[in-house]
Amino acid sequence: MDRAKAIKAIEDLLDAIGEDGTREGLKDTPRRVADMYAQLLSGMGRDAKEELSKTFSVDGGDIVIEKDICFSSMCEHHLMPFFGRIAIAYIPDKKVVGLSKLARCVDICAARLQLQEQLTRQIAEEIMRHLSPKGVLVWCEAEHTCMTCRGVKKAGSKTISYVTLGDFPRDKKAEVLALIK
């Protein structure tokens, strides 16, 4: 991220909305906002290869489920946050990954300008690409502040999306969805 350019953009925004960027409460705001965006969007240009590369051999192909992985991301349409929880279920093909690595994969994908549907698919694709499981299911439930704080203002409304990739049998999909809800 070009920090100087980001600071200038926030200064211009404050000016455009009629604020005095030199007043005490706003003097450091452009720098703070630029730093915030650098942190919130730190997943730009990264993939989860490093996080998902440490695997362990296993016998069998039972389903592994990690659920209630909390996340926050930024809506690419309004630059407002959305947040919620994600569940990942995968059917290993001779290897598993440490559970914290799944949460780190979520963090990397969420730290980008996103759409919820895109985020859900990106996580599934990263897991398929780097773990090569037989199949993966990623489920996401989120609250979008662009829905709750502006526009229709429907506080508490949630959006659910899920993606399955690979060979994830229909009966197993129903079982996993019941477990993660």
Side-chain angles (χ1 to χ4, degrees):
M1 183 172 96
D2 184 331
R3 192 167 183 271
K5 196 171 183 179
I7 289 170
K8 174 76 169 95
I10 300 305
E11 290 170 346
D12 290 346
L13 176 65
L14 290 171
D15 183 53
I17 63 173
E19 272 292 353
D20 174 8
T22 63
R23 73 176 174 85
E24 183 180 3
L26 293 176
K27 277 193 288 190
D28 289 330
T29 297
R31 179 196 50 80
R32 286 192 299 267
V33 172
D35 291 347
M36 174 194 70
Y37 274 107
Q39 178 184 3
L40 294 177
L41 302 176
S42 63
M44 301 291 288
R46 291 181 62 203
D47 74 14
K49 181 179 182 178
E50 182 180 336
E51 296 301 337
L52 297 175
S53 65
K54 178 66 175 163
T55 60
F56 308 94
S57 298
V58 293
D59 293 328
D62 295 334
I63 295 175
V64 175
I65 301 172
E66 179 73 14
K67 68 182 227 172
D68 295 328
I69 303 169
C70 295
F71 78 94
S72 63
S73 191
M74 295 292 287
C75 167
E76 67 182 33
H77 292 156
H78 300 100
L79 300 182
M80 292 185 72
F82 65 98
F83 55 91
R85 59 194 180 103
I86 288 176
I88 299 169
Y90 70 99
I91 303 170
D93 189 11
K94 299 182 182 127
K95 62 182 178 181
V96 294
V97 68
L99 297 176
S100 69
K101 305 304 185 186
L102 295 174
R104 289 187 177 136
C105 176
V106 169
D107 289 345
I108 289 167
C109 293
R112 304 172 181 156
L113 291 177
Q114 280 290 14
L115 298 175
Q116 179 177 334
E117 302 87 344
Q118 181 176 281
L119 171 63
T120 308
R121 178 161 292 279
Q122 285 175 2
I123 294 165
E125 288 173 348
E126 291 279 8
I127 291 167
M128 286 300 289
R129 182 171 32 258
H130 301 300
L131 290 184
S132 303
K134 294 175 184 172
V136 64
L137 182 150
V138 177
W139 178 91
C140 178
E141 179 182 67
E143 185 169 330
H144 296 252
T145 59
C146 56
M147 278 273 300
T148 61
C149 297
R150 57 157 301 280
V152 296
K153 294 186 179 180
K154 298 298 179 202
S157 64
K158 303 256 181 10
T159 301
I160 295 173
S161 58
Y162 75 91
V163 172
T164 56
L165 297 176
D167 183 18
F168 211 100
R170 182 181 297 267
D171 63 324
K172 294 295 184 187
K173 184 189 314 185
E175 182 181 339
V176 167
L177 288 171
L179 286 169
I180 62 180
K181 290 179 185 177

